[in-house]
Amino acid sequence: MTSATPFDLIVIGSGPAGQKAAIQGAKAGKQVALIEQTREVGGACVYQGTIPSKTLRESALQMVRFLQATEVFEFRMRDDVKITNLMTRLDRVVRAHGKFMKDQLTRNGIDCFHGRAGFVSDHEVRIQKTDGTATFVTAPIIVVATGSRPRVPDNIPIDHEHILDSDSILSLVYLPKSLTVLGGGVIASEYASIFALLGVHVTLVDTADRPLKFLDQELTDEFCEAFEKTGGHYRGGQKIGSVQWDGCSKVTTVLESGETLESEKVLVALGRVSNLEHLNLQATGIQPTTRGLIPVNHHCQTTVRHIYAVGDVIGPPSLASCSMEQGRRAVCHALGLNSGVAPEHIPMGIYTIPEMSSVGLSEQEATAKYGGATVGRARFHEIARGQISGMTHGLLKMIADPKGEQLLGIHIVGEGATELIHIGQMGLLHNMPIDRFIDNIFNFPTLAETYRVAALDIAKQRQH
Amino acid sequence: MVHSTITPLAQEERETLRSFIADQLGRGNLDLPLLPVVANRVLLLSSDPDADASKLSSLIQQDQALAGQIIRIANSPAYAPRTPIVSLQQAITWLGLTMLAGLAFSVSVQSGVFHTTGYEKEVRNLWRHALATGLFGKEIARRIRHNVENAFLCGLLHTIGKPAILHLLAQSPDKSAEPFSWITIESLFEEFHITAGSKLAAVWQLPDPVQETIRYYQDDQYHQAISPTKGAMITCLAHHLASVMLGNSVHDENSLLTLPVVQDLNFYPEDMTALLELRETVRASVECFLP
Ligand SMILES: Cc1cc2nc3c(=O)[nH]c(=O)nc-3n(C[C@H](O)[C@H](O)[C@H](O)COP(=O)(O)OP(=O)(O)OC[C@H]3O[C@@H](n4cnc5c(N)ncnc54)[C@H](O)[C@@H]3O)c2cc1C
């Protein structure tokens, strides 16, 4: 017989989803237990995902800007810029972020448990410690926020030494001469462009004819052009046959077409799987989907009504931004609190080099819904700010209804795209007519001006 | 490790040797030649144009003296790498095997061979332990997604001070007809191997994480290490696993679970079980190198 400590709310996993769920519970005056299996709180977002990849990207960009400045100001940078310096910076940023998260949880009076959680029943959870002992907690509401990890395809022997995944790529201590990246999704494209910028010979391989197929083709075309310019190559329409380390100095990737690619390292970024294996879900009656996700309704409620699941563990969009909101909303729903209007227009930010971002309808979606679409374009190099900053790549694409009056979507590629998108997001939220972008004044010179230029482009196409 | 009391005679012998080692360390007189068997293999492989490239590559990755010297020379101005060489794999890729074969050849010729008369078995055990630590280090690093190449090099070289001391003793003017007792030597290792290893690593300009590991790999020290690769912490556990596997530890597989380093690495019992399951693979690799 175990004696379980009672709480009002148990949250499993301290990533963005779990954290916001726990904080929402604490703010509502509830006694919250947050269980995390790693020693640090913050989840994949802090240690393997968003924060490290964006820090590495920023360091790479800073290095390149600095290199460009050396030409203008006639000084030389050391040849031996060590990746360890980039990684040490990354370690510092990650630690600082982790500490910030921990402080936030402590401030809110949340009881943090270090251990691996598994259900004993639909109300009770066992927390296994590293020393083999266990404690038990119980609550009327439980939120599962155990996140995801890289998928390991059967035919690829990932050894985290020569054949890496998106977690182990962060452990590199020197830049390889060449890198084959398998996958054409967000993580694959982001890392491919970062390493290409750092001077690594990168080949991105995927089955699709272009990377990031879910994005507007004009955006991905710009991305591919910039990627090729930094020395990267995209090999579309390719299936992977096998990947093998030669035991000496290179990894050979054999494509089903029979072609072989050789590189010093390989990065495998072929999707993610939910972390369910330690949860003992059978004890709750929850049945995962065939894709290994926890099925939920639009309140993030599982088939067992007092158990919620949020974040990556329930599948796409698998973004830190959405995971946080799901965590907050799930707890509001469970506690009968008003969670506000559900977000309608979720922006998508992709931190490739250059960045890409989109919100609202694509040209195809608008055409399907309204029988047509008017598209306005503004190129960064035509804008004063773009010229000043030497931006050769950059496009803002504005989607309006067939009459060219109503804003329906915004798609941007170019530096600052993930920030710039929010102007469009606010416009969509407020059902803004296209002319508002023309009638209003933006700071000059800024990239925000692209909104005005694209709106003018739409206005020009109106038939009077 | 053998724990026995030291007799008065041994105590006297120890004192003489202590001051000799302290003096030599003070002067920076440190070196580390290859084991005769390793030197032979290098000579054979590097003179055979048909030799299998992977054999040389694995030989370089199995011997501490050869590995350390290769890293040292690869980073020297003669080879002028664009970025520092921080792992053996990197050295192999950047220099190419032909150049590496030449390099290994000159290392084995220049550094001479290790004189082990009287302690063949013990010396073999030192080497086996170093290699086993490197191999366990790799597996630990794989599990926590830390750099595997770095973990290996840190493990392989963490006790490089021990053979360096042995080599010093072989040159001691007080050498009697009888070899020094191994108990005496072990007590000298305890006292000096970290200083000797650190000095040698500094002279050889080994990568920072390796130098840090040599200084801080022990249970009560690894907290002081700051390298993001966690080489010292990984090596601490790898060292214990190697000792248990080779039967020279005060721990057994169960008591390993209670080590603070296991908790600090966030290893759950199932992680440790998985690691321990690899011991036969590690043992086979070690046996293959030094039967
Ligand atoms: C390389 C990369 C780049 C990314 N970039 C972005 C980006 O730019 N923008 C963006 O919005 N998103 C990005 N993401 C996605 C984002 O990181 C995830 O969507 C987000 O982390 C999901 O949050 P989560 O809370 O659901 O899960 P996680 O962050 O995965 O956290 C889950 C936590 O649960 C813990 N856990 C698992 N099982 C148990 C158990 N049984 N007991 C106790 N604890 C357990 C885990 O240890 C982990 O700490 C990126 C992801 C990756 C991999």
Side-chain angles (χ1 to χ4, degrees):
Chain A
M1 191 63 199
T2 60
S3 85
T5 312
F7 284 89
D8 299 324
L9 168 68
I10 295 172
V11 179
I12 307 176
S14 73
Q19 243 178 74
K20 295 296 169 206
I23 289 172
Q24 180 59 62
K27 291 224 184 284
K30 301 295 174 192
Q31 221 28 70
V32 183
L34 176 67
I35 311 166
E36 172 54 55
Q37 65 179 355
T38 63
R39 299 186 73 82
E40 302 86 10
V41 295
C45 174
V46 179
Y47 300 97
Q48 293 96 22
T50 321
I51 305 292
S53 63
K54 265 82 260 184
T55 309
L56 185 61
R57 175 183 187 277
E58 194 53 36
S59 303
L61 280 172
Q62 278 175 10
M63 206 180 86
V64 170
R65 280 184 209 124
F66 195 70
L67 273 172
Q68 284 165 351
T70 59
E71 286 166 20
V72 179
F73 300 109
E74 295 180 351
F75 61 90
R76 257 177 71 79
M77 199 163 112
R78 279 173 53 182
D79 277 344
D80 65 339
V81 175
K82 299 184 210 165
I83 192 175
T84 40
N85 292 350
L86 303 185
M87 291 306 184
T88 305
R89 169 158 190 265
L90 194 151
D91 195 54
R92 242 181 279 134
V93 173
V94 163
R95 272 172 204 258
H97 199 75
K99 183 176 179 307
F100 167 76
M101 301 276 141
K102 178 85 194 170
D103 291 349
Q104 199 181 27
L105 294 170
T106 315
R107 246 193 344 265
N108 280 283
I110 293 162
D111 283 294
C112 293
F113 289 85
H114 171 219
R116 205 164 253 171
F119 283 97
V120 176
S121 70
D122 63 343
H123 283 289
E124 187 174 342
V125 174
R126 173 181 193 267
I127 307 171
Q128 198 215 335
K129 311 268 185 63
T130 47
D131 64 6
T133 60
T135 51
F136 296 81
V137 285
T138 173
I141 304 164
I142 301 178
V143 176
V144 178
T146 49
S148 64
R149 63 178 183 280
R151 185 171 78 86
V152 181
D154 293 339
N155 60 337
I156 306 181
I158 298 176
D159 59 8
H160 306 290
E161 188 176 0
H162 316 288
I163 306 169
L164 308 147
D165 65 13
S166 62
D167 289 353
S168 45
I169 190 83
L170 291 164
S171 75
L172 284 182
V173 288
Y174 59 88
L175 283 177
K177 282 183 179 167
S178 52
L179 177 72
T180 303
V181 180
L182 308 181
V186 178
I187 295 172
S189 305
E190 287 188 357
Y191 277 125
S193 63
I194 293 172
F195 282 98
L197 190 73
L198 286 167
V200 177
H201 182 88
V202 179
T203 309
L204 182 59
V205 187
D206 194 40
T207 45
D209 57 353
R210 63 186 171 95
L212 302 158
K213 193 98 197 227
F214 56 91
L215 282 179
D216 185 291
Q217 179 148 8
E218 281 184 67
L219 265 58
T220 52
D221 285 351
E222 284 260 332
F223 162 69
C224 285
E225 201 187 311
F227 179 53
E228 301 266 337
K229 260 194 185 163
T230 53
H233 296 285
Y234 181 69
R235 303 295 317 276
Q238 302 290 343
K239 280 199 173 145
I240 313 299
S242 65
V243 181
Q244 209 176 358
W245 162 242
D246 73 350
C248 187
S249 59
K250 58 182 184 299
V251 185
T252 306
T253 304
V254 182
L255 306 178
E256 278 192 2
S257 63
E259 195 188 336
T260 58
L261 302 169
E262 287 181 347
S263 57
E264 196 178 331
K265 304 274 175 196
V266 165
L267 165 63
V268 183
L270 293 166
R272 297 184 66 83
V273 290
S274 300
N275 292 325
L276 302 182
E277 67 284 11
H278 300 293
L279 283 175
N280 190 30
L281 278 180
Q282 307 86 284
T284 64
I286 296 170
Q287 187 69 40
T289 67
T290 46
R291 292 182 50 217
L293 305 170
I294 299 188
V296 291
N297 65 15
H298 64 287
H299 296 298
C300 293
Q301 243 172 335
T302 67
T303 45
V304 179
R305 290 304 183 218
H306 62 275
I307 301 181
Y308 290 71
V310 291
D312 279 16
V313 77
I314 61 170
S318 300
L319 287 171
S321 49
C322 296
S323 304
M324 293 186 218
E325 188 57 7
Q326 287 167 354
R328 189 186 71 82
R329 286 182 165 274
V331 171
C332 284
H333 183 263
L335 299 177
L337 302 171
N338 179 8
S339 58
V341 185
E344 209 185 320
H345 300 288
I346 300 171
M348 164 79 80
I350 292 138
Y351 294 82
T352 39
I353 298 170
E355 277 173 25
M356 293 185 269
S357 197
S358 72
V359 66
L361 300 186
S362 65
E363 194 178 340
Q364 289 84 345
E365 286 166 339
T367 307
K369 192 165 173 187
Y370 296 95
T374 317
V375 180
R377 292 178 179 80
R379 301 203 174 266
F380 285 16
H381 67 82
E382 292 163 356
I383 308 285
R385 181 63 208 225
Q387 287 158 3
I388 294 166
S389 306
M391 290 176 179
T392 48
H393 287 277
L395 167 74
L396 181 142
K397 196 171 163 184
M398 189 177 269
I399 313 292
D401 63 335
K403 287 187 184 160
E405 288 172 356
Q406 195 60 44
L407 176 68
L408 299 177
I410 294 286
H411 308 273
I412 312 174
V413 56
E415 275 323 293
T418 54
E419 294 284 357
L420 209 52
I421 200 76
H422 298 119
I423 299 176
Q425 185 189 13
M426 290 302 127
L428 283 171
L429 278 175
H430 296 283
N431 288 321
M432 214 142 94
I434 294 293
D435 284 349
R436 273 291 160 81
F437 290 103
I438 301 172
D439 303 339
N440 273 293
I441 295 172
F442 291 96
N443 275 334
F444 179 84
T446 59
L447 288 174
E449 245 202 304
T450 47
Y451 276 94
R452 198 154 182 274
V453 173
L456 281 166
D457 191 23
I458 289 178
K460 226 171 39 192
Q461 299 170 53
R462 286 183 196 145
Q463 288 166 4
H464 295 289
Chain B
M1 206 171 283
V2 183
H3 291 276
S4 318
T5 44
I6 299 177
T7 61
L9 195 66
Q11 185 67 36
E12 198 180 303
E13 176 186 71
R14 186 179 180 279
E15 278 316 307
T16 321
L17 293 175
R18 263 196 88 239
S19 48
F20 170 71
I21 292 173
D23 178 53
Q24 294 295 311
L25 289 183
R27 290 166 196 255
N29 280 348
L30 272 172
D31 202 1
L32 185 55
L34 307 190
L35 281 184
V37 52
V38 175
N40 272 341
R41 274 184 223 169
V42 169
L43 294 179
L44 270 177
L45 279 174
S46 54
S47 59
D48 176 2
D50 300 325
D52 180 355
S54 63
K55 277 198 185 141
L56 181 64
S57 144
S58 58
L59 179 59
I60 287 163
Q61 307 206 44
Q62 284 170 331
D63 179 72
Q64 20 180 1
L66 187 54
Q69 299 252 33
I70 294 262
I71 294 275
R72 172 178 72 87
I73 300 173
N75 278 313
S76 69
Y79 289 85
R82 273 200 72 237
T83 50
I85 302 291
V86 292
S87 93
L88 291 164
Q89 190 54 54
Q90 188 194 10
I92 293 166
T93 318
W94 279 87
L95 299 177
L97 275 164
T98 315
M99 191 176 277
L100 217 57
L103 212 151
F105 179 81
S106 59
V107 166
S108 61
V109 170
Q110 280 166 21
S111 64
V113 294
F114 206 87
H115 295 288
T116 56
T117 327
Y119 328 104
E120 285 82 356
K121 190 168 143 258
E122 288 84 357
V123 168
R124 217 179 94 227
N125 278 341
L126 279 186
W127 251 259
R128 287 158 60 98
H129 186 274
L131 178 56
T133 306
L135 293 171
F136 273 121
K138 269 184 152 191
E139 300 308 329
I140 296 168
R142 271 192 241 284
R143 292 196 81 77
I144 59 170
R145 309 292 189 260
H146 273 58
N147 190 277
V148 175
E149 294 170 28
N150 177 80
F152 176 71
L153 192 62
C154 288
L156 186 69
L157 301 183
H158 76 297
T159 46
I160 202 166
K162 292 186 181 179
I165 290 173
L166 260 188
H167 181 56
L168 265 186
L169 292 176
Q171 297 157 331
S172 152
D174 295 326
K175 261 184 311 181
S176 53
E178 286 291 301
F180 310 120
S181 77
W182 189 252
I183 297 171
T184 306
I185 293 174
E186 282 210 311
S187 78
L188 293 168
F189 281 169
E190 288 226 7
E191 186 173 351
F192 291 111
H193 88 275
I194 291 183
T195 314
S198 306
K199 288 207 171 201
L200 189 59
V203 173
W204 284 4
Q205 294 182 320
L206 295 182
D208 293 345
V210 177
Q211 297 206 28
E212 190 187 64
T213 298
I214 292 172
R215 275 197 307 278
Y216 299 132
Y217 80 87
Q218 292 179 320
D219 288 287
D220 53 349
Q221 299 289 317
Y222 64 78
H223 286 112
Q224 294 187 58
I226 54 165
S227 163
T229 58
K230 285 198 183 153
M233 199 192 281
I234 291 172
T235 302
C236 177
L237 178 58
H239 174 97
H240 283 296
L241 286 164
S243 304
V244 169
M245 185 192 87
L246 295 170
N248 50 12
S249 172
V250 288
H251 292 283
D252 59 20
E253 292 184 358
N254 285 330
S255 66
L256 272 185
L257 299 180
T258 60
L259 286 173
V261 70
V262 173
Q263 319 301 317
D264 287 337
L265 282 164
N266 202 46
F267 277 177
Y268 287 83
E270 52 265 41
D271 298 314
M272 286 301 287
T273 307
L275 268 182
L276 288 164
E277 274 168 7
L278 292 167
R279 67 184 166 257
E280 287 318 314
T281 319
V282 171
R283 194 194 303 277
S285 301
V286 173
E287 289 289 336
C288 177
F289 177 61
L290 276 181

